Amino acid sequence: MSAQIIAIDAMGGDFGPRSIVQASIACLSATPSLHLTLVGQPSLLEDLIAGQSAADRARLQIVAASEVIGMDERPSQALRGKPDSSMRVALELLRDGKVQACVSAGNTGALMALSRYVLKTLPGIDRPAMVAAIPTQTGYCQLLDLGANVDCSADNLFQFAVMGSVAAQALGISRPRVALLNVGTEDIKGNQQVKLAASMLQNARGLNYIGFVEGDGLYRGEADVVVCDGFVGNILLKSSEGLATMIASRIEALFKGGIGARLAGAVAMPLLKRLQADLAPARHNGASFLGLQGIVIKSHGSAGVQGFQSAIQRALIEIQENLPQRLHGRLEDLLL
């Protein structure tokens, strides 16, 4: 197997470089073909990788960047005022062909703005979209957009649907069912943008468009790809993560009640732990920026070691599937 080379914005996120470096080293150990380039402050990163085996160090490179983009900085400030930020340097490595993907837990708005500026979008794509896997009753659903585009036209939603379908195919679904998230399944429901997008998708060649889906239908697994604007998608994603965490904590508290509850908990806890692991946000961490001329993965800023590992794994899958090239070919058929 040929090597996969990924640039890591080691300075992004809420917890700083420590958990990012730990996750990077864990991925190196799990994937012998993986090479990582940590971008950030060399003295700090050298201290964090000290003591690693010679085999891991041989696949680990540090590239210097003197600036860090804060989580609360405006995208315009990051774009114009910090030319040597770890995020920008990592993206420039991708643009110059020195790496095959970039992973960052940094400021989402800044990452999107810099990605569009440094990498550019694929022909036929107006705006990139963020997509991530959402657990359902039957498996997983690719949901997009997750917050990169708060206001979307019908054309944007159509482009998102095409990109989501190709991404789902890359993840192993031969004929993904594509749906628009809406307030009802009837044709008369929804705003003008959603209705126009539906009309466009119904006429798209080779796209398995199945119509509208509501939020409960998404979790029942009625579609493999669900499309919405970034305002709705981000609220749905964050609400889902909060609900999963709340249910897990409530169940755990119930089993800590009386003796009977504790005995029942002792029997049920292994299954509940397995369910909690399946639904844990960390396991599904890593949103892909679809529509760029390069692979960019956004990790949650609050992701720990396991969560950041999941983001790197998503980048690996997209490298192996050559996702931007597949998208380009499909977009030529449907959009140009």
Side-chain angles (χ1 to χ4, degrees):
M1 181 184 293
S2 59
Q4 299 94 33
I5 310 171
I6 299 174
I8 305 294
D9 171 15
M11 309 304 293
D14 297 338
F15 302 128
R18 184 172 298 277
S19 63
I20 291 174
V21 171
Q22 289 176 356
S24 299
I25 292 170
C27 284
L28 285 175
S29 299
T31 310
S33 59
L34 177 62
H35 292 246
L36 295 178
T37 299
L38 301 176
V39 183
Q41 299 171 6
S43 58
L44 179 58
L45 297 178
E46 287 288 356
D47 287 343
L48 291 173
I49 65 174
Q52 296 306 310
S53 68
D56 285 345
R57 284 300 303 265
R59 295 183 288 128
L60 196 60
Q61 180 185 7
I62 292 175
V63 170
S66 61
E67 298 171 316
V68 178
I69 295 173
M71 297 298 281
D72 58 349
E73 286 190 41
R74 292 180 180 275
S76 57
Q77 181 182 355
L79 188 60
R80 300 189 189 98
K82 292 190 173 178
D84 197 43
S85 68
S86 55
M87 184 184 290
R88 182 163 185 160
V89 172
L91 289 168
E92 288 173 346
L93 290 173
L94 178 56
R95 177 199 63 195
D96 297 340
K98 296 178 180 177
V99 300
Q100 297 161 287
C102 170
V103 181
S104 175
N107 182 313
T108 303
L111 183 61
M112 177 58 78
L114 283 167
S115 296
R116 291 184 68 178
Y117 178 77
V118 173
L119 300 174
K120 314 304 180 189
T121 57
L122 290 167
I125 294 297
D126 299 322
R127 302 180 184 179
M130 291 176 63
V131 60
I134 304 295
T136 70
Q137 289 182 15
T138 58
Y140 299 95
C141 168
Q142 300 299 314
L143 176 65
L144 71 164
D145 179 39
L146 298 177
N149 305 282
V150 175
D151 296 309
C152 293
S153 67
D155 285 333
N156 296 145
L157 295 174
F158 177 77
Q159 292 168 16
F160 296 169
V162 173
M163 294 192 294
S165 178
V166 175
Q169 287 176 326
L171 294 170
I173 302 172
S174 59
R175 187 166 163 75
R177 298 163 298 163
V178 179
L180 287 167
L181 187 63
N182 202 0
V183 295
T185 57
E186 301 87 353
D187 291 341
I188 62 171
K189 295 288 183 70
N191 59 31
Q192 192 65 21
Q193 291 92 332
V194 169
K195 291 178 183 177
L196 285 172
S199 177
M200 296 168 68
L201 289 168
Q202 286 167 352
N203 298 318
R205 309 185 313 283
L207 199 68
N208 186 18
Y209 174 65
I210 62 171
F212 296 143
V213 66
E214 295 183 80
D216 56 346
L218 183 156
Y219 289 106
R220 282 197 295 268
E222 293 177 1
D224 303 301
V225 177
V226 172
V227 178
C228 58
D229 64 53
F231 183 88
V232 172
N234 189 266
I235 290 175
L236 177 59
L237 176 68
K238 297 296 175 62
S239 299
S240 303
E241 292 172 349
L243 179 62
T245 302
M246 184 272 288
I247 291 174
S249 63
R250 285 286 186 92
I251 291 174
E252 193 171 342
L254 284 173
F255 285 135
K256 290 180 179 177
I259 294 177
R262 292 180 184 178
L263 289 173
V267 175
M269 196 55 71
L271 290 175
L272 291 172
K273 289 291 186 185
R274 194 163 125 200
L275 175 62
Q276 187 175 5
D278 286 342
L279 299 179
R283 181 170 179 179
H284 311 289
N285 181 46
S288 177
F289 283 5
L290 294 181
L292 294 167
Q293 295 188 40
I295 297 168
V296 178
I297 305 297
K298 172 64 175 71
S299 167
H300 276 299
S302 60
V305 174
Q306 181 188 358
F308 202 83
Q309 282 181 255
S310 296
I312 296 175
Q313 289 298 325
R314 175 113 191 183
L316 277 169
I317 291 170
E318 295 196 8
I319 291 170
Q320 291 161 359
E321 295 296 333
N322 197 12
L323 188 57
Q325 192 60 38
R326 291 181 64 165
L327 274 172
H328 179 60
R330 189 73 176 111
L331 293 170
E332 282 189 322
D333 291 339
L334 287 171
L335 300 179
L336 302 180

